Amino acid sequence: MFIDEVEIRVKAGKGGNGCVAFIREKFRPWGGPAGGDGGAGGDVVFQVSTNVDTLLPLYRKRILRAENGKPGGAKNCSGKSGKDLVVQVPAGTIVRVQGRDEPLCDLTEIGQRFVVAAGGKGGRGNQHFATSTHQTPHEFEVGKDGEELDLHLELKLIADVGLIGLPNAGKSTLLSRLSAATPRIAPYPFTTKEPQLGIVDLGGFRQIVMADLPGLIEGAHRGAGLGDEFLKHIERTSFLLHLVDIVPPDGSDPVENFNLIERELVLYSEVLAKRPRMVVANKIEMTGAEENLARFREALAGQHEVLAVSAATGQGLPDLLKRLLERSSELKGPSAKAW
Ligand SMILES: Nc1nc2c(ncn2[C@@H]2O[C@H](COP(=O)(O)OP(=O)(O)O)[C@@H](O)[C@H]2O)c(=O)[nH]1
Ligand SMILES: [Mg+2]
């Protein structure tokens, strides 16, 4: 299990101050107090939405602020309320006040809303302070501050895309080039190397979780077992990206290298071997890459589409993201959301 975490401050709007005013009309020189009430401050609200898949949109923010209420006006006019700030969060977000174990809320249902910080009440204007013996009140209330909290948000993630390939294919390099954030890995008893993972922003509000699965193939080689929990987790990975070094330094054949991994994958997990996948040739900026790529494409013709990138120079990466976005319905299979 991977955990996406964000720490963020939320600040609701302050209530507007009450107003001190008196009616001044030609024939009513002492027309009485008429100061309006301040408007309430806006709330900060979290709402579960299918538009977001991770907490990535919140990484770039420090503070989420709702609008303040407007002060009351003369002639008993109430101030306008501040607008609520509605923040979209993915299903499965657990919200805690920083430093507390007990969750503030556990947001699971699409559309579910929770006010994480309530706006302050507006203050009353002087119209409310008049009594029979106190006809020209100058009292008013100031608006109350909105709630301000430091929150910790946590989301359990499933990898949407698993990166596979021989050691040195460039998996780590590719992942670091594409990821916009690096979630934490929950404490699994890994028997091999820890997987790396990143959130990849595909644009168009789609974010996917990409996991490098280094232990997968190397582990299969040695017959080393990954933890059951971890295996269950990666078997929910809905899509595989097989990365191939198109100019291997040892002079080996990229087609054979590709077949080797595919064979091991079947031996390792039939569930995973059935996953849809995309084949990506890496290191295409190197000399000799072009001929190898042509041969490679020919060998895989009719079986897999082959994209070509250089994780080192960035060549081909925008096309790769575009292609992943186009295939994002396959990346988000029902299994991927079924926690
Ligand atoms: N020339 C070239 N080298 C690359 C490219 N991508 C990765 N490498 C290098 O290949 C080596 C293995 O990369 P790494 O990401 O660690 O591979 P991994 O074992 O699959 O995670 C490193 O020395 C990288 O710098 C690329 O596009 N072009
Ligand atoms: Mg690596």
Side-chain angles (χ1 to χ4, degrees):
M1 185 195 312
F2 308 127
I3 299 174
D4 188 14
E5 288 175 306
V6 165
E7 294 198 331
I8 199 155
R9 174 168 292 190
V10 289
K11 190 174 189 332
K14 182 180 180 302
N17 291 341
C19 170
V20 175
F22 297 91
I23 288 177
R24 293 277 179 264
E25 284 171 354
K26 204 166 174 188
F27 302 107
R28 297 175 63 193
W30 301 102
D37 302 338
D43 300 333
V44 181
V45 182
F46 285 175
Q47 180 165 33
V48 181
S49 163
T50 50
N51 285 344
V52 289
D53 304 304
T54 69
L55 300 174
L56 185 65
L58 300 177
Y59 272 82
R60 295 161 191 151
K61 308 221 164 78
R62 288 271 145 262
I63 180 161
L64 300 170
R65 214 187 274 273
E67 204 176 79
N68 292 335
K70 295 277 184 296
K75 300 188 186 165
N76 295 334
C77 277
S78 296
K80 248 179 103 178
S81 297
K83 266 204 218 95
D84 292 344
L85 177 72
V86 180
V87 181
Q88 297 190 334
V89 297
T93 303
I94 300 169
V95 182
R96 290 186 173 82
V97 176
Q98 278 178 35
R100 279 191 222 159
D101 282 343
E102 182 83 357
L104 192 62
C105 60
D106 194 344
L107 298 163
T108 51
E109 304 296 323
I110 303 297
Q112 189 181 347
R113 286 164 74 96
F114 190 85
V115 176
V116 287
K121 269 169 73 172
R124 291 182 300 167
N126 71 336
Q127 56 171 317
H128 300 284
F129 293 89
T131 64
S132 56
T133 56
H134 184 51
Q135 305 226 339
T136 53
H138 284 263
E139 293 93 337
F140 69 100
E141 287 171 347
V142 293
K144 295 260 190 312
D145 282 335
E147 283 183 298
E148 182 169 358
L149 293 166
D150 287 317
L151 298 180
H152 175 268
L153 276 58
E154 180 181 300
L155 173 68
K156 294 184 172 76
L157 293 172
I158 294 188
D160 304 302
V161 174
L163 273 176
I164 57 171
L166 281 180
N168 279 320
K171 299 182 294 298
S172 306
T173 311
L174 182 70
L175 188 58
S176 66
R177 280 299 285 242
L178 295 181
S179 26
T182 26
R184 186 162 69 83
I185 292 160
Y188 274 124
F190 292 114
T191 51
T192 55
K193 280 191 242 167
E194 300 226 324
Q196 292 173 294
L197 79 154
I199 296 173
V200 179
D201 198 349
L202 298 181
F205 295 111
R206 291 253 75 97
Q207 301 114 29
I208 53 163
V209 179
M210 192 180 271
D212 179 5
L213 307 171
L216 179 61
I217 298 305
E218 292 154 47
H221 263 306
R222 294 194 297 270
L226 293 172
D228 273 0
E229 282 293 300
F230 181 63
L231 187 59
K232 252 190 273 165
H233 181 88
I234 60 171
E235 285 187 342
R236 290 190 188 175
T237 299
S238 45
F239 195 91
L240 297 176
L241 195 157
H242 187 159
L243 195 64
V244 180
D245 186 343
I246 205 67
V247 196
D250 60 2
S252 58
D253 180 5
V255 179
E256 272 173 29
N257 292 345
F258 172 82
N259 288 331
L260 178 84
I261 293 286
E262 292 287 319
R263 272 197 307 273
E264 296 234 5
L265 186 61
V266 177
L267 293 176
Y268 186 73
S269 161
E270 282 184 34
V271 181
L272 269 183
K274 290 203 188 88
R275 291 286 179 260
R277 47 183 156 296
M278 194 184 276
V279 181
V280 179
N282 189 27
K283 314 198 187 180
I284 51 159
E285 90 293 351
M286 290 184 63
T287 46
E290 222 166 299
E291 302 110 76
N292 286 6
L293 180 63
R295 268 196 309 117
F296 188 73
R297 283 203 155 121
E298 210 171 295
L300 270 66
Q303 296 177 60
H304 293 286
E305 77 174 301
V306 179
L307 273 82
V309 302
S310 167
T313 68
Q315 195 182 335
L317 296 185
D319 280 342
L320 173 58
L321 291 179
K322 200 167 139 243
R323 204 54 201 118
L324 285 170
L325 183 61
E326 284 163 4
R327 295 185 69 172
S328 59
S329 63
E330 293 170 78
L331 308 188
K332 294 274 175 189
S335 64
K337 286 284 184 195
W339 264 106

